[in-house]
Amino acid sequence: MTPKPVSDLARRLEHGLFTVTAEVTLPDSIEKKALVERAQMLEPYCDAINITDSTGAVPHFSNIAAASILIENDIEPIIQFSCRDRNRIAVQADVIGAYAIGVRNIFCVTGDGVQTGDHPEAKPVFDLDSVTLLTTINHLKTRGKFLSGRELDDKPNLYLGAAVNPFVPPFEERALRLLKKHKAGASFFQTQYCFDIERFKSFLDRLLGLTKGAPPPLLVGVGPLRSARFARWLRENVPGIDVPEHVIEKIEKYPRKEQQKAGVEACIEIVDAVKTLTGVAGIHVMAYNWEASVSEIVKATGLSKPERDN
Amino acid sequence: MNKIRAFESTYLFCLKILSGIIPVLGNKRPFMWFMVTSEKALKKPLFGCQMCGQCILHSTGMVCPMGCPKTLRNGPCGGVRSNGNCEIKPDMKCVWVRAWDNSTQMAVFSDSIKEIQPQLDHSLSGTSAWINDIGKKNDS
């Protein structure tokens, strides 16, 4: 008998059901309400919600506290752990604590350098990298032991994920890196924002070749651009995001007031182009500070909840 | 022969010689001092060695991963710039872009870049990587 999936996300991806995840923008608020309102805007359209870990090296609402609030509201979180702020002691402590409050999906990333954020004078940790972060958590999961060998009373049954960025160099290496993370314990993957479909396809071809057509579940990261100016800012200032000029030009054709709509349409076009590709298990929508756009993108691409399971 | 191949051959030569010496002298203090001093003197100017004590140069295209501002040992982060430069130091080529390019030129260790490297043992910082590596192989 195959074991019961550890989370709804795991169940969907293991059964090959097309999956939609979305990232909630963590508010700079000291109230639960602000987070719950944003998450509830996403919930009807996605299967699980990513909670970032002070993304962009800017302090935000604690990821574990946010996960706890989502769980209270019957929303499944995918909690992101980065290597920037925690050493191996803190990581292991937080993982078992998160498990105890009901977290099952953990997503491991390297994390942006402190220079990217608003506290560039902070000391970066990077005791682990994304691969050893995975091996560390996988060690807890499969052996029920800390790295030191000290035993837990049980094994935390987690579903581990990792990031892949096919859109930046070294391009040839990116599929191999995904497989390295898979070997280290990652069961599913979400990509960085996809704006370059051709680049994504060549990555996918390489991945399909390396895995004999059976890659681990891969969700394509997408998101709407608010304006051409925002797209340029994103490209220049956020590491790892490549917005090709032709995408920006498409939005720039419209007057400023209509660019927001054009940005959503460009995102819909990208989802439509990638959703049926072999090797794509779902999409991951990152609409920074713009949760309302997610419903539009999901509906327009025929990926609403009952529809996408037919 | 290109530089990378030359470094690779030197590594293999040293491995052969030191595999014979370290099991005999590895725990003698003067020998330890000699190894630490030589590693510092050679690897620092050649590779920007930071004496982590767990050298994996031959698995990373002879590019020291400790030169990465995030000290990543298992491949590039997702923040590499489109010109192949570092997210944190925009004027520096990404260590892992160089490592990837170089490793494809290696004769023996070109596939080693795919291996999972364990987390660093920070207690070994400042010690001899050769003694740690060969000593560990002998122990296991």
Side-chain angles (χ1 to χ4, degrees):
Chain A
M1 203 180 88
T2 47
K4 204 171 155 260
V6 301
S7 64
D8 195 46
L9 177 74
R11 177 188 68 81
R12 293 191 66 87
L13 292 174
E14 283 165 12
H15 288 87
L17 295 168
F18 197 89
T19 301
V20 178
T21 58
E23 180 177 300
V24 66
T25 309
L26 296 174
D28 289 331
S29 168
I30 56 166
E31 302 289 342
K32 286 182 181 182
K33 209 178 80 184
L35 168 66
V36 174
E37 279 170 1
R38 283 167 188 254
Q40 281 173 341
M41 286 171 88
L42 299 173
E43 194 277 333
Y45 304 98
C46 62
D47 301 299
I49 292 181
N50 276 53
I51 294 171
T52 52
D53 185 8
S54 291
T55 185
V58 174
H60 289 295
F61 208 96
S62 144
N63 57 350
I64 298 173
S68 163
I69 295 166
L70 258 54
I71 292 166
E72 273 173 22
N73 286 277
D74 295 317
I75 299 171
E76 184 167 312
I78 301 169
I79 181 171
Q80 296 188 190
F81 269 72
S82 98
C83 304
R84 185 194 54 238
D85 309 325
R86 293 180 184 87
N87 68 6
R88 66 195 78 181
I89 299 172
V91 163
Q92 294 177 97
D94 280 349
V95 165
I96 57 170
Y99 185 83
I101 60 165
V103 169
R104 296 296 177 266
N105 310 309
I106 295 186
F107 188 78
C108 299
V109 298
T110 307
D112 301 307
V114 296
Q115 291 81 353
T116 321
D118 61 356
H119 290 65
E121 70 284 5
K123 181 175 183 180
V125 177
F126 297 111
D127 179 32
L128 303 173
D129 56 38
S130 57
V131 174
T132 51
L133 178 63
L134 280 162
T135 56
T136 300
I137 303 177
N138 200 41
H139 190 267
L140 287 168
K141 173 185 162 177
T142 55
R143 300 189 199 182
K145 286 179 184 173
F146 293 101
L147 286 178
S148 63
R150 196 158 46 87
E151 283 190 34
L152 284 158
D153 58 358
D154 204 352
K155 296 172 185 168
N157 198 4
L158 292 159
Y159 191 56
L160 303 182
V164 58
N165 189 356
F167 310 104
V168 290
F171 300 113
E172 278 290 293
E173 190 267 359
R174 294 291 169 180
L176 287 171
R177 179 150 169 82
L178 183 152
L179 296 176
K180 198 184 224 188
K181 290 181 174 183
H182 186 46
K183 207 169 143 196
S187 300
F188 72 99
F189 293 86
Q190 292 171 329
T191 77
Q192 182 54 281
Y193 281 107
C194 171
F195 293 110
D196 189 340
I197 296 165
E198 290 314 308
R199 177 73 74 195
F200 178 70
K201 281 183 182 165
S202 65
F203 162 81
L204 199 57
D205 282 346
R206 178 153 164 82
L207 182 64
L208 288 165
L210 288 165
T211 55
K212 300 188 174 70
L218 175 69
L219 287 85
V220 186
V222 293
L225 296 162
R226 278 176 184 277
S227 65
R229 214 176 110 193
F230 173 71
R232 289 218 163 82
W233 178 88
L234 204 62
R235 186 170 65 184
E236 303 308 322
N237 295 290
V238 183
I241 301 180
D242 186 38
V243 191
E245 196 54 36
H246 68 89
V247 176
I248 301 178
E249 280 167 6
K250 209 188 271 176
I251 298 170
E252 214 162 33
K253 277 194 317 212
Y254 294 89
R256 194 63 209 276
K257 273 189 184 160
E258 290 169 35
Q259 286 190 2
Q260 195 157 315
K261 195 166 162 267
V264 172
E265 272 161 20
C267 179
I268 292 168
E269 257 176 53
I270 290 167
V271 176
D272 279 333
V274 296
K275 69 181 184 192
T276 50
L277 296 174
T278 308
V280 171
I283 57 162
H284 173 54
V285 193
M286 295 170 278
Y288 187 73
N289 257 330
W290 194 8
E291 276 76 9
S293 67
V294 175
S295 63
E296 209 177 318
I297 293 161
V298 169
K299 281 185 210 157
T301 49
L303 296 173
S304 296
K305 263 183 186 174
E307 235 177 301
R308 66 171 172 262
D309 289 343
N310 293 334
Chain B
M1 194 196 281
N2 73 19
K3 201 169 83 179
I4 310 305
R5 286 278 180 96
F7 282 144
E8 190 181 25
S9 307
T10 312
Y11 170 77
L12 285 165
F13 176 75
C14 292
L15 184 64
K16 206 170 175 184
I17 303 285
L18 290 168
S19 296
I21 301 173
I22 286 172
V24 184
L25 295 174
N27 56 358
K28 304 274 186 276
R29 290 188 75 98
F31 181 71
M32 282 181 187
W33 177 86
F34 169 76
M35 286 303 293
V36 169
T37 312
S38 333
E39 283 185 39
K40 247 186 220 166
L42 289 168
K43 291 199 296 188
K44 226 170 208 168
L46 284 173
F47 309 106
C49 169
Q50 297 179 23
M51 295 299 287
C52 70
Q54 295 136 90
C55 192
I56 50 167
L57 273 171
H58 64 285
S59 303
T60 55
M62 308 308 286
V63 178
C64 176
M66 303 308 284
C68 162
K70 298 181 184 174
T71 62
L72 304 181
R73 289 170 73 86
N74 276 294
C77 70
V80 183
R81 289 165 193 268
S82 51
N83 62 358
N85 282 9
C86 172
E87 157 195 327
I88 294 174
K89 295 182 178 171
D91 298 328
M92 182 180 93
K93 193 92 185 158
C94 164
V95 161
W96 282 97
V97 168
R98 286 169 55 217
W100 174 254
D101 287 347
N102 285 5
S103 71
T104 57
Q105 299 172 41
M106 293 178 90
V108 181
F109 295 107
S110 65
D111 274 343
S112 300
I113 200 160
K114 297 177 194 165
E115 290 164 14
I116 294 178
Q117 298 296 339
Q119 58 274 17
L120 262 187
D121 178 346
H122 292 279
S123 68
L124 294 176
S125 173
T127 61
S128 160
W130 279 108
I131 296 179
N132 294 336
D133 187 39
I134 293 171
K136 195 171 71 192
K137 276 179 198 146
N138 267 32
D139 288 345
S140 55

